[in-house]
Amino acid sequence: MSDEATSTTVPPHGATNLPYSAEALRTERLLLRPLNTGDLEDVHAYQKLKDVVRYLYWEVHDHDESAEHLRKRIAMNRLAENGDGIVFAVELAEEEGGRGRVIGDISLFLKNATWGKFEMGWVFHPAVHGRGYASEAAQRVLELCFDTLGAHRVFAQLDARNDASARLCERLGMRQEALLRETEIFKGEWTDTAVYAILEQDYRAGS
C-alpha cells in the first residue's frame, strides 16, 4: 500500500459532538440555518413546482400542504439518536442587506452514530440552478459532518434518472457505489436507485 493511500486512512470511530443542535452555517454567498415559520412563502415557491417534486416522495404541495410540511421540518433541528434529522434552509442574501430569500433546503440524517454514518438530501428552486449554490451549500454541510460531527461516511440516495443530483454528488467528491435496479415502485412505476457516498479519508484527501 502506498504512503499516499495510508496518509489519509483514519482509525475507526463513531460520531462525535452529539447531541448537535442546528445552528447557522455560513458560506461565501449563503446562510444555512434552521427553518422557521417565516420561510413558508419561499419554500412553497418551489414545493408547488412539478419539476421540483418529480423525483421526490411527495407530490406538488398546495399552500396548506407546504405549511404542514414546514411545521414538521422545523421540528427537525437536533441530532442525538439514530434516525434524527436536521433541515437547513439555504438563504441567499439580498444585495441590499436584510433578510434573504430561501432558495432551497438541505436535509441531514444521523443514520448510525456508532459507525459515524450520515445521509444527505437536498431540494433547490430551479430558478437558481447552474449558479453553484447547491454545491456551495452541500459542501458546507459535508464540512459540518466531517469536521464537527466526526462522520466516517456520508451518503445520498437518489432516483437514478435524477441527473442533476448525480452531478452534484460527483462535484462533492462522492462516488456512485451502487445502482439498485427496480428497487421500488415510485409514483406508479418501477425505478432504479443510485447510491453515492464519500468517506472521511476521501474528504481529507480532497480538501
Side-chain angles (χ1 to χ4, degrees):
M1 185 176 293
S2 70
D3 291 341
E4 182 179 357
T6 58
S7 64
T8 55
T9 300
V10 293
H13 62 84
T16 56
N17 293 323
L18 297 177
Y20 171 81
S21 296
E23 57 187 9
L25 308 173
R26 294 190 178 274
T27 71
E28 182 179 352
R29 300 179 294 174
L30 304 169
L31 172 66
L32 281 65
R33 56 161 178 78
L35 287 161
N36 61 58
T37 55
D39 297 328
L40 176 57
E41 299 307 321
D42 285 349
V43 298
H44 179 58
Y46 54 86
Q47 289 184 355
K48 67 182 181 181
L49 302 177
K50 288 184 178 180
D51 287 348
V52 169
V53 305
R54 179 181 179 188
Y55 301 121
L56 301 178
Y57 283 103
W58 36 274
E59 299 289 351
V60 168
H61 281 170
D62 62 26
H63 197 271
D64 289 343
E65 289 169 333
S66 285
E68 176 61 16
H69 193 234
L70 179 62
R71 183 189 66 79
K72 293 178 180 178
R73 285 153 69 87
I74 287 173
M76 296 170 59
N77 58 19
R78 189 170 184 266
L79 302 177
E81 305 292 338
N82 294 346
D84 287 350
I86 288 176
V87 183
F88 292 99
V90 180
E91 182 179 308
L92 177 62
E94 297 291 347
E95 293 182 3
E96 308 81 25
R99 182 185 181 279
R101 174 168 57 101
V102 175
I103 59 172
D105 55 73
I106 294 187
S107 304
L108 179 65
F109 296 93
L110 175 62
K111 304 302 288 188
N112 191 303
T114 302
W115 298 338
K117 185 160 64 173
F118 295 81
E119 180 177 6
M120 287 177 62
W122 45 74
V123 182
F124 282 87
H125 197 300
V128 301
H129 286 181
R131 303 181 192 179
Y133 295 135
S135 297
E136 188 173 325
Q139 183 62 44
R140 183 64 184 88
V141 175
L142 280 183
E143 292 173 10
L144 170 70
C145 290
F146 289 114
D147 295 339
T148 300
L149 300 178
H152 168 67
R153 169 185 168 85
V154 180
F155 71 97
Q157 298 187 90
L158 48 132
D159 189 303
R161 299 168 297 179
N162 191 343
D163 293 333
S165 281
R167 290 193 298 270
L168 174 55
C169 289
E170 292 166 358
R171 288 195 297 272
L172 295 173
M174 291 181 165
R175 302 177 185 178
Q176 183 177 333
E177 296 184 337
L179 177 63
L180 309 178
R181 300 175 59 214
E182 297 189 1
T183 187
E184 62 183 356
I185 298 175
F186 176 74
K187 297 185 177 180
E189 59 182 328
W190 285 111
T191 56
D192 300 343
T193 297
V195 180
Y196 286 79
I198 182 170
L199 301 180
E200 182 181 3
Q201 55 260 41
D202 304 327
Y203 173 79
R204 301 290 175 210
S207 59

